[in-house]
Amino acid sequence: IIFCSAEEIARFTAFTAALSAQCRAQKTIKSYRSDWLGLARWSFNGSGQPFDLLMADEKLLVAFRRACVGGGLKPSTINRKLVATKRYGRWAREHDLITAAQWDAMRSVSPVHQPRRTPRGLSPQELTRFLCAVEKGSARDQAIVQVLLESGLKVSELVALVREDVIISTR
């Protein structure tokens, strides 16, 4: 990789090894690598110098964010790239590879504003097909789906329910 110094490649390889040791999904690691390469390529093209995390600062990341916005990337994509870079920076700080001031500068870069996503519901046809498929399942599965549909609970809230949380009345 001509966009990075040999030391940077070794550092990022150690970072991805740490992610693997934490049982992070390979897809996540692959995304982080892609985002890191994108930042490195962009930095190299702008400066002509191999990218090195030790040189990354607020000014560089703000310029990168601006270039991503100018390149027409979606806010969620840009923010994912920033998160990946910040996680790499936090790892580097935890291993004393960058200073506290460098980490604070990286951390201070704000994400791109993105509008709130509204949930998309099922169409009547999709709901009918779904309920038909659930009817073929166990009574437990049917109860789970009905509780979710009728109560508005999130799956995590349903999983956390205990019998004492449920009040059964004539209603």
Side-chain angles (χ1 to χ4, degrees):
I1 301 171
I2 62 167
F3 308 119
C4 303
S5 65
E7 295 82 11
E8 175 62 15
I9 293 169
R11 250 191 312 277
F12 192 80
T13 301
F15 170 62
T16 57
L19 292 174
S20 290
Q22 295 169 359
C23 298
R24 299 287 178 175
Q26 285 303 309
K27 184 176 179 183
T28 299
I29 296 169
K30 187 177 177 182
S31 292
Y32 281 14
R33 184 174 178 3
S34 173
D35 293 337
W36 170 72
L37 283 171
L39 172 61
R41 182 180 299 112
W42 173 84
S43 177
F44 178 80
N45 289 339
S47 69
Q49 299 294 318
F51 174 77
D52 194 304
L53 183 69
L54 303 181
M55 300 180 322
D57 59 7
E58 181 180 10
K59 182 179 174 184
L60 178 86
L61 293 181
V62 167
F64 179 63
R65 182 186 64 197
R66 193 175 315 116
C68 290
V69 169
L73 295 178
K74 292 180 181 179
S76 58
T77 301
I78 298 167
N79 291 338
R80 187 201 73 225
K81 291 175 179 298
L82 292 173
V83 165
T85 303
K86 289 178 182 182
R87 289 205 176 137
Y88 178 35
R90 181 176 59 208
W91 174 86
R93 178 63 196 131
E94 289 169 354
H95 290 82
D96 292 322
L97 301 172
I98 61 173
T99 67
Q102 285 173 300
W103 167 231
D104 289 340
M106 290 176 75
R107 205 170 47 173
S108 72
V109 177
S110 60
V112 175
H113 174 74
Q114 59 187 55
R116 246 194 146 146
R117 291 186 289 169
T118 57
R120 183 184 77 80
L122 297 175
S123 72
Q125 295 84 8
E126 291 170 326
L127 182 58
T128 300
R129 281 198 323 263
F130 176 68
L131 291 175
C132 285
V134 170
E135 284 178 9
K136 297 173 186 169
S138 68
R140 175 187 158 271
D141 294 346
Q142 292 175 35
I144 289 170
V145 169
Q146 288 300 322
V147 168
L148 290 172
L149 287 173
E150 299 298 328
S151 69
L153 288 174
K154 297 176 188 172
V155 172
S156 60
E157 294 168 333
L158 178 66
V159 169
L161 273 181
V162 292
R163 188 173 295 219
E164 292 77 29
D165 292 334
V166 180
I167 300 170
I168 298 177
S169 67
T170 55
R171 280 185 53 206

